[in-house]
């Protein structure tokens, strides 16, 4: 009966499960307050509006909404996204927008379209774990640069571009997952100048820029260099992740066409029905008001979390204070290993993602990511208290 | 501005666009009666029931249905599928069922999990084009065997297994796309015996077996050798393709886990909302009655198509007469090349998929696939008349 001798691909044998998703399973234990996931606040899901959008789509155009669709995506949705993107200063047209099954698929398509085994990808350290997971299927190496308060540093980038000819520079420039840091415009320009000089595409993964708590965000990298950036946007944080509707903006036809072909092979096309529902929701004009609600709630929760961290965390523990997004980053004294601390955390009924998960080439042992969008204020208060005690005990031991 | 010098992956540079999808674009010309696609009849979509399922899901459990989900899929849906599979004689449990974004994704995950560049995959010729498209991303070679009236022949299989050590044997054993042929049980057993002897997994792609026009279908290959077959099922033909809900049944934990890991990287998980909606629809018990309606309509359309082909096609043109599914296969006299005939067909306002698209290693020039599920009876009659004239002219020229 054992088929352990089936000959899987080298790729499959090398793939590890996402630490995030495995951690989430561990922390599903009853009573655990988890700050590990990256889930939007479900109480804000615009349920009534979505019921109406479903009814409308299925009443008015069931033949189209339930049928096979084009790989590129539902044209009116692509047009609505292009319009919204232009409104926030991203100059793009619908014909370069590819609808994807979440931005995770966008990352996977880019990995597929660009990475041969052994090719380098540049990322910040820490960087978004899901991107590492998506790229790893294609056997890349990573050349990483550290982050300061302004995100990935530029020092060392040119050397990497010269010596390692990376295929992609991957960035979450605004409210980066996992650390909430944002790259200011001057640094964006420096990165783009080098990227251009060495003809290396920049992937701007942008799930959070509309979730700014303090007004305007820096100009998008795509806006600063529309010919050299591939941008990823998503409705997961703006509307609902369960709909799995995101988009990739290609800077030119060749890049667009290659991504479309990879998607044809991967899943033919994204859920037609969900595309219609999201389009219908956008058409009502309710998205802006909804995003405003999300912003306010997350800003409030960040405030509560930061205040509780100040109150409960022992000296020597530092953290970022993001002005948007869903995450902040905690740095512990060197002697504490956040991965090793996890079982004790779960005993104390609190959970996080160990920082090492976000380091594609090792490191980050004494850090962790915390999410402030999902738990309510009371839970945040209790959770930070538990974490403070946990840190204190680790320091004392 | 030109980024044609971006260094795409070898994989991307080798990928061609699906002939089906490109053909479908060509034939979108107004007035063309296309028998090219593989679309279900939209007039049968159970719209009222789906509106109610959406309303129920969003009213009763919006927090879950709109949120991130597990990579494996929505557990109650996996359980409902397992129950249904067992009812049709496929012995499986929910914990080995992975929900995928259409069977196309299942094929892609299997390609990813098994195929290294240069590995062989066994298929019938002709075989399903979407599988070729999915596998091609991983750079396989194909070892193909011809089909007779009973589907892929066994002669030559052992030689391939010995000499080429293929990673997978890919089959659509029941009402195969593109030719509608079905492999009888004795031949299934012969194939499975060899597959087992050489420890090579069989992929049983099974989108059509519930759409039988004449009662029982042969036992599934998975049922005949549950330890050696990976099965793919889908709601695309039973309910609606736009929902993109399908499933992969793994024969053992290792295979299941490896597919799950590839899916994590590819898109995290399948649309949660659509999974809940399909589950809710299944729960009403309406699926069986719906499938019965689909069966009756397609059987009728096949009858009409076959009768019209007898009436209008010139001597020397032969075709399969499938007892289920969505497709039949036309063989033209040697001198006619169906690919070269396409522009003339479109001029005559009729379209098909040239047979060569279904031959992974060349051939099939004088054949074509026709779909009988989408067009209504009048359209079928007119379309076959146009095709008959087209063939006659080609023969005369």
């Amino acid at each position: 009966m054992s088929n352990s001798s089936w000959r899987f691909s080298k790729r499959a044998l090398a793939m590890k499960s996402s630490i995030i998703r495995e951690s989430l399973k561990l922390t599903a234990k009853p009573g655990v307050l988890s700050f590990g996931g990256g889930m939007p606040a479900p109480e804000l899901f615009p349920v009534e509006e979505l019921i109406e959008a479903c009814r409308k789509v299925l009443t008015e155009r069931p033949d189209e909404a339930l049928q096979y669709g084009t790989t590129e995506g539902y044209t009116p949705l692509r047009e609505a996204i292009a319009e919204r993107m232009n409104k926030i200063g991203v100059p793009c047209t619908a014909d370069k927008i590819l609808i994807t099954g979440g931005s995770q698929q966008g990352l996977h398509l880019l990995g597929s379209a660009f990475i041969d085994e052994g090719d380098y990808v540049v990322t910040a350290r820490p960087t978004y774990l899901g991107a590492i997971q998506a790229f790893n299927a294609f056997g890349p190496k990573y050349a990483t640069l550290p982050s300061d308060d302004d995100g990935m540093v530029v020092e060392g980038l040119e050397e990497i571009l010269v010596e390692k000819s990376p295929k992609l520079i991957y960035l979450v420039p605004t409210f980066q997952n996992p650390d909430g840091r944002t790259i200011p415009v001057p640094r964006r320009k420096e990165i783009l100048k080098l990227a251009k000089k060495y003809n290396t595409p920049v992937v701007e993964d942008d799930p959070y820029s509309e979730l700014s708590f303090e007004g305007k965000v820096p100009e998008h990298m795509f806006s600063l260099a529309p010919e050299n950036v591939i941008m990823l946007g998503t409705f997961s944080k703006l509307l609902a992740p369960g709909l799995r509707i995101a988009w990739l903006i290609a800077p030119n036809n060749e890049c667009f066409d290659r991504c479309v072909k990879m998607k044809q092979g991967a899943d033919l096309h994204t859920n037609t029905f969900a595309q219609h529902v999201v389009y219908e929701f956008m058409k009502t004009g309710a998205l802006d008001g909804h995003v405003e609600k999300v912003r306010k709630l997350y800003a409030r929760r960040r405030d509560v979390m930061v205040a509780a961290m100040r109150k409960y965390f022992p000296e020597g523990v530092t953290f970022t204070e993001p002005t948007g997004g869903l995450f902040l980053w905690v740095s512990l004294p060197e002697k504490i290993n956040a991965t090793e601390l996890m079982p004790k955390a779960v005993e104390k009924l609190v959970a996080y993602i160990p920082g090492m998960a976000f380091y594609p080439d090792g490191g980050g042992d004494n850090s962790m990511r915390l999410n402030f969008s999902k738990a309510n204020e009371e839970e945040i208060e209790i959770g930070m208290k538990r974490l403070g005690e946990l840190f204190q005990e680790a320091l004392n031991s």
Side-chain angles (χ1 to χ4, degrees), chain A:
Chain A
M1 280 291 281
S2 160
N3 284 302
S4 60
S5 54
W6 275 1
R7 292 159 298 128
F8 292 95
S9 62
K10 283 183 281 177
R11 183 186 313 110
L13 295 172
M15 276 297 270
K16 296 198 187 78
S17 188
S18 147
I19 300 179
I20 284 196
R21 297 189 75 78
E22 295 310 309
S23 300
L24 291 181
K25 277 187 198 164
L26 275 178
T27 60
K29 186 175 144 184
V32 170
L33 289 176
S34 177
F35 302 90
M39 295 187 186
E43 62 269 39
L44 291 189
F45 290 151
V47 175
E48 288 310 318
E49 292 86 343
L50 287 173
I51 292 175
E52 177 54 20
C54 290
R55 198 199 55 75
K56 207 151 183 265
V57 163
L58 288 174
T59 307
E60 293 178 2
R61 45 184 197 279
D63 289 11
E64 197 186 351
L66 295 170
Q67 191 58 280
Y68 285 111
T70 63
T71 303
E72 292 83 350
Y74 179 47
T75 304
L77 176 63
R78 296 163 71 205
E79 288 166 353
I81 292 170
E83 195 186 320
R84 189 170 178 87
M85 287 295 95
N86 279 282
K87 221 186 276 173
I88 63 167
V90 176
C92 65
T93 50
D95 66 321
K96 303 279 194 326
I97 294 181
L98 172 62
I99 304 295
T100 61
S103 275
Q104 183 71 25
Q105 187 182 48
L107 291 166
H108 195 258
L109 295 176
L110 290 175
S112 182
F114 282 95
I115 302 171
D116 287 315
E117 202 184 329
D119 280 345
Y120 276 89
V121 174
V122 178
T123 77
R125 61 170 190 264
T127 189
Y128 174 51
L129 173 52
I132 305 173
Q133 179 84 357
F135 296 154
N136 277 355
F138 308 98
K141 291 176 184 164
Y142 293 95
T144 67
L145 290 165
S147 292
D148 60 21
D149 289 348
D150 289 341
M152 189 181 85
V153 304
V154 183
E155 207 191 328
L157 179 56
E158 184 154 19
E159 209 179 311
I160 291 171
L161 292 169
V162 170
E163 290 177 5
K164 307 198 160 159
S165 296
K167 285 289 188 74
L168 297 170
I169 299 171
Y170 171 76
L171 293 169
V172 190
T174 311
F175 313 133
Q176 170 166 252
N177 183 349
D179 55 11
R181 288 166 178 141
T182 295
I183 306 176
V185 168
R187 188 176 286 185
R188 292 180 186 218
K189 286 184 176 167
E190 285 179 76
I191 295 170
L192 288 166
K193 200 175 154 189
L194 288 170
K196 215 164 173 171
K197 183 171 170 189
Y198 295 97
N199 196 32
T200 308
V202 171
V203 178
E204 178 176 32
D205 192 356
D206 186 52
Y208 314 116
S209 70
E210 292 215 46
L211 300 181
S212 168
F213 309 149
E214 298 172 7
K216 272 187 91 76
V217 291
E219 231 177 317
H220 286 84
M221 295 189 84
F222 191 98
S223 314
L224 294 168
E227 76 287 0
N228 214 66
V229 177
I230 303 162
M231 188 168 165
L232 298 174
T234 177
F235 289 104
S236 287
K237 306 308 190 288
L238 300 184
L239 182 51
L243 296 170
R244 309 308 294 135
I245 302 291
W247 63 93
L248 178 155
I249 310 177
N252 58 61
N253 288 329
E254 189 189 5
C255 179
F256 182 78
D257 290 344
R258 294 209 186 278
C259 290
V260 169
K261 282 186 193 104
M262 300 320 299
K263 184 168 165 70
Q264 275 186 0
D267 70 353
L268 288 184
H269 64 83
T270 298
N271 193 304
T272 328
F273 179 52
Q275 291 187 68
H276 279 257
V277 169
V278 170
Y279 168 68
E280 206 57 51
F281 179 81
M282 285 184 86
K283 239 177 51 179
T284 64
L287 186 57
D288 285 334
H290 174 68
V291 170
E292 191 50 39
K293 268 192 235 167
V294 173
R295 249 185 232 128
K296 275 193 184 140
L297 184 74
Y298 293 1
R300 173 77 195 141
R301 286 179 176 177
R302 178 215 47 189
D303 290 344
V304 171
M305 185 174 273
V306 166
M309 291 163 88
R310 290 221 175 93
K311 192 156 102 192
Y312 296 118
F313 284 10
E315 216 173 315
V317 177
T318 59
F319 45 86
T320 59
E321 294 180 41
T323 58
L326 279 72
F327 303 105
L328 55 74
W329 187 250
V330 178
S331 299
L332 304 169
E334 291 270 334
K335 70 171 276 196
I336 307 183
N337 180 309
T339 310
E340 290 169 9
L341 205 58
M342 262 297 274
K344 276 192 191 145
V346 174
E347 257 175 53
K348 269 200 181 300
L349 302 177
V350 64
Y352 52 82
I353 305 284
M356 62 163 289
F358 304 93
Y359 281 72
D361 47 6
D365 295 331
N366 65 324
S367 55
M368 61 177 60
R369 186 189 80 176
L370 296 180
N371 164 272
F372 53 76
S373 61
K374 176 91 186 326
N376 66 32
E377 296 181 25
E378 196 192 336
E379 291 166 336
I380 291 173
E381 177 82 17
I382 299 170
M384 293 310 106
K385 187 158 184 277
R386 288 178 187 167
L387 276 181
E389 288 166 11
L390 179 77
F391 298 158
Q392 191 59 61
E393 286 166 22
L395 279 171
N396 295 346
S397 73

